[in-house]
Amino acid sequence: MPEALLSTHGLNAHYGDFQALFGVDINIHAGEVIAIIGANGAGKTTLMRSITGLLANRPDMVTYRNTPIGALRADQVARTGIAMVPEGRQLFQSLSVEENLIIGGQIGRKGPWELEKVFRLFPILKERRAVPSTALSGGQQQMVAIGRALMSNPELILFDEISLGLAPIIIKSIYEVLPDIIGEGMSAVIVEQDIAKALSVAGRVYCMQEGRISLEGRSNELTREQISAAYFGV
């Protein structure tokens, strides 16, 4: 395998005295899409928060392009080329669709993603560009969250529970545009509870259980029985 773009090395994470991650090791290579699956409370979001600097760790527990970033702040991590579409969207409620998108570009990274390209990806957002984010449907809000992350022109994009709380038809439409995003040569992490959706787009999969990696392998080589055992711990 080529050298990893991003790696975690024995990653631990805590919320006060509570330990949420235990020695997690993952690797993501340039141009690769991986899935991270697991039940509620498995540690998936904590892993994303640790990678993006929302939870600080020892510097060497997360490396990006062979550079330790585990102790960087979230804004510093974003400037290295990592963006996240957070669970629950977390838009700026007082701002319009366009203003939310523009904020994503404020870190100043150069690249192909700018406002009009996001509008081509999600035409409904151009129609509603002046509308407050609070007036959007859940699916439209998710589109804004994805667009905001793309506006930072990342090399690696993390989708945390991309389909959570959305209607099946909206989930389908969002997954349909993922090839247009990843096709730009970007690497991606898809965090999902929907195993079938995750496996449909990812070349490799990690399964988490109780803060640990319980299974890792190529999506087309793992059996349903292996995934079920790792997911549910049976």
Side-chain angles (χ1 to χ4, degrees):
M1 290 289 286
E3 191 173 88
L5 177 68
L6 180 136
S7 298
T8 66
H9 311 273
L11 178 62
N12 299 315
H14 297 78
Y15 295 100
D17 294 332
F18 173 74
Q19 186 166 355
L21 295 180
F22 300 83
V24 171
D25 295 312
I26 68 167
N27 294 292
I28 306 157
H29 299 91
E32 185 180 33
V33 181
I34 71 166
I36 299 179
I37 61 174
N40 279 333
K44 305 184 301 298
T45 292
T46 300
L47 176 57
M48 297 300 98
R49 289 172 57 84
S50 297
I51 290 172
T52 55
L54 295 170
L55 283 176
N57 282 284
R58 289 205 327 259
D60 59 349
M61 283 189 172
V62 184
T63 57
Y64 187 67
R65 295 194 174 279
N66 276 335
T67 300
I69 64 167
L72 296 184
R73 301 188 311 268
D75 62 303
Q76 294 172 319
V77 172
R79 288 185 175 88
T80 70
I82 300 173
M84 182 165 67
V85 181
E87 180 182 357
R89 277 81 79 177
Q90 298 182 24
L91 303 180
F92 295 96
Q93 296 186 1
S94 63
L95 301 182
S96 69
V97 166
E98 184 169 337
E99 289 167 337
N100 268 280
L101 293 173
I102 288 171
I103 282 176
Q106 293 303 298
I107 66 169
R109 284 180 55 84
K110 302 298 183 183
W113 288 97
E114 38 77 34
L115 201 57
E116 288 304 318
K117 186 167 184 176
V118 172
F119 287 152
R120 288 196 296 272
L121 184 68
F122 298 119
I124 187 63
L125 299 186
K126 186 168 187 177
E127 295 177 26
R128 312 208 71 190
R129 63 195 302 167
V131 171
S133 62
T134 51
L136 302 178
S137 68
Q140 291 167 358
Q141 289 182 20
Q142 186 68 294
M143 293 172 192
V144 176
I146 293 170
R148 180 179 61 187
L150 291 174
M151 287 284 287
S152 71
N153 281 293
E155 295 177 296
L156 172 63
I157 187 167
L158 315 177
F159 297 94
D160 191 8
E161 302 286 9
I162 189 172
S163 60
L164 185 66
L166 300 181
I169 190 170
I170 300 300
I171 296 170
K172 181 175 182 290
S173 68
I174 287 176
Y175 269 89
E176 284 174 348
V177 303
L178 284 181
D180 295 323
I181 296 170
I182 299 162
E184 297 285 337
M186 208 178 294
S187 303
V189 178
I190 310 291
V191 175
E192 266 286 12
Q193 292 186 52
D194 187 325
I195 297 173
K197 283 291 185 188
L199 297 185
S200 72
V201 296
R204 288 191 301 120
V205 60
Y206 291 90
C207 186
M208 295 190 70
Q209 185 187 111
E210 296 181 349
R212 296 174 171 85
I213 300 297
S214 55
L215 181 69
E216 184 268 330
R218 299 204 63 80
S219 302
N220 59 0
E221 295 175 354
L222 297 175
T223 67
R224 183 177 298 180
E225 290 73 21
Q226 288 175 308
I227 293 172
S228 179
Y231 194 101
F232 298 107
V234 295

